[in-house]
Amino acid sequence: MAITRRKKLIPFPSPDASDKSYEALIRLWVLRLLVPLGGSRELIVSYGYQHDHLANYLGLPSVDGNFEMKPAMAELRKKHDQAERRRSLNEIPAVLAKNIERYSELLGWNDVDKAVIAFAVLMETDPRLEVACSTIENVATARLIDVLSGVLGFDRDLIRHSVSPKGSLSESCFIKIDPSVTRSLATKISMLSDETSDRLRYFDGDPFELLRDIVAPAAKAELTLGDFSHVQDTLDVLHPYLDRSLENQNGGVNVFIHGAPGTGKTQLALALARELGCDLFEISSQNESGDGINGYGRLRALRAAQSMLRQRRAMILFDEAEDVFDGRCTHLREKGSARSQKAWMNRLLETNPAPVIWLSNNVECMDPAFLRRFDVVLEMPLPRGRQRERLLDEACGDLINATTRNRLVEARGLAPAVVQRAARVVRTIQDVLPAKRTSAILEQLIESTLEAQGHGGLTTGEAAALPSSYDPRHIAADVDLAQVSAGIVRARTGRICLYGPPGTGKTAFGRWLATRLDVPLHAKRVSDIVSPYVGQTERNLARVFRDAEADGAVLLLDEVDSFLQDRTRAQRSWEVTAVNEMLTQMEAYDGVFIASTNLMDGLDQAALRRFDLKVKFGYLRPAQAWDLFEVHCESLGLAAPDASARAAVERLATLTPGDFTAVARQHRFRPVGSISALIAALEAECSIKKDSRKAVGFI
């Protein structure tokens, strides 16, 4: 007795059991796959059937006792002959036929294309056909053409054209045939998405509705183009360009918008579409089940949408473009989808019928070869001073007090999305919050997000407030600062190098000058700019100057010696390139640039020549020291100092305005209760300086 190894019998579901014409079609296709195309060799084996459920469906002899292959094969051929005689009754399901006709009108599918797509859909949705297709193994592309020709009854040349890369099916990306592998027929052909076959097979609807899992209408715009005045120069070009392209149906139109998360890239695309009076469709990054769609899958969805929008006034939004353009990210284990399909992608960028707006949070991973193919590249900056004010007033003006508002206005890392989400949280629970806590809670939410994003909270990179006692007359400089500041106020430009010991008031002078000019201050330190990654420091420097110029701000760069060291002493190539970039940016900057350093020696000579003015800051002159001492005595509530106190103060040759500021901060937790205590505190500050014994001050 032969040993039988049969799989458990699993009955096939029959969703179309009442549709005799459909049942006849499936039976015919199954039998063609098994008989003339050779699938029977995988179905009928020496011990019985590899697929009992398929044999049972076809009505083949049961396996009882000794099994004989020849009678089973003969019965299978007989059933195939019967099915061929009845093939005129074959029809695909009505819903599928209707959907295929809808797409054929949009995409230009011919009869062969429609037959191939119908076969692909039914192969994935009818388990009988799927199992039969699995019996056809080692299907290279040439073999695939033979199989489809044999199953569908079309000439090989017609099938070859239909499934070729230049055919309508491949161009529309509804099916994919992998030419690089040989596998079973059931896995050789793949549909646009996991849900595509089910939707085409069972859902009667609009073509775009059927693809909503991968291509969906974009959301409604919440903002207008008026909310993006900070990029108005680019919008003055972009808006009419897109309008004219849509009107003339120009192909190959691509716009790339990049910037930090939450800066409003998506809202700008939505506002553009609304202003242009066109439909906007978005390529999904995940399906309806919540599973992510990989880069190549999203590109196929894009191609499909492009094919369907040829005659429609519409644009396409492709967010997270870095998924497919990750050409320069060496830390990634795999090349991006676009890079691995470079020729294919280049053709898409050059020939796409509908304009595409690509969005990305990270331009650093973009392959320059792709970047040059975009018509317009726009960086969405974080809101600037006046824009931050407007953003805060509109989103949460009734939730914050003046103090919180002023702190948030100074936060250069503040993005619209951060403000809007924090405001939404507070408004949701406002009825259970103490009224006096609302502002603080909103500030806390925003600050936590900023810190998590790497912006360092609300104060990173921003100027601290000037001391209430600040007066430029208390600065011991070798030039008349009042005259210098008056000249800068008139000219609105200047490159100034401030040098001298720490605490002498260099940074404070920059803050004061910004208030005189009534412009923002962008105060940066080395830690804000230097990066361990090659070339990133130079890009950060360029960004710092660019942002300051866009804001019309005073740019104050502290510890500038880190960027302007003498290139003849450089030991590494990046040290030279950083200096070169700094010199280039200084030369091109048209605003007020202030560089401060404690180490004048060793600065690059070329850099020194580029400064309009070099101002030496020194220790307080005796009269300045005494004047500032009296001011602080009054602010601390101390008695008027006498002559002996004056003598003691004037003996402090290394006293600086910064020493007074430090003592004032100490007073908050270690009160200064007398004149002698104030003098002692100042003496302690001077004593820790390296040159405390030298009379360096201006005497």
Side-chain angles (χ1 to χ4, degrees), residues 463-486:
L466 280 170
S468 58
S469 61
Y470 182 82
D471 190 328
R473 292 176 300 176
H474 297 149
I475 302 294
D478 61 352
V479 300
D480 187 338
L481 292 180
Q483 184 180 18
V484 170
S485 61

Side-chain angles (χ1 to χ4, degrees), residues 173-301:
C173 286
F174 265 73
I175 65 169
K176 177 181 179 293
I177 298 168
D178 192 343
S180 63
V181 297
T182 57
R183 47 179 66 186
S184 74
L185 178 61
T187 57
K188 181 70 171 179
I189 303 174
S190 62
M191 297 296 295
L192 184 58
S193 74
D194 293 339
E195 291 82 10
T196 300
S197 292
D198 284 339
R199 292 189 178 279
L200 288 174
R201 175 72 177 81
Y202 297 113
F203 296 95
D204 186 354
D206 175 84
F208 276 98
E209 178 65 18
L210 294 173
L211 297 182
R212 65 178 183 269
D213 60 311
I214 53 175
V215 182
K220 301 296 183 182
E222 299 176 2
L223 304 177
T224 68
L225 290 185
D227 295 304
F228 299 93
S229 57
H230 50 298
V231 290
Q232 190 61 52
D233 289 346
T234 303
L235 288 180
D236 289 341
V237 175
L238 180 57
H239 180 272
Y241 176 67
L242 289 175
D243 189 32
R244 190 64 56 82
S245 299
L246 289 166
E247 181 182 346
N248 298 334
Q249 295 185 338
N250 297 336
V253 175
N254 295 277
V255 177
F256 186 77
I257 303 176
H258 65 98
T263 50
K265 300 184 294 295
T266 301
Q267 283 298 319
L268 175 58
L270 298 176
L272 276 168
R274 183 170 63 183
E275 188 72 19
L276 292 165
C278 70
D279 298 322
L280 183 66
F281 293 89
E282 184 172 4
I283 305 300
S284 303
S285 58
Q286 61 182 27
N287 58 29
E288 291 189 326
S289 301
D291 300 323
I293 304 174
N294 62 29
Y296 184 65
R298 299 183 71 207
L299 287 177
R300 289 184 65 193

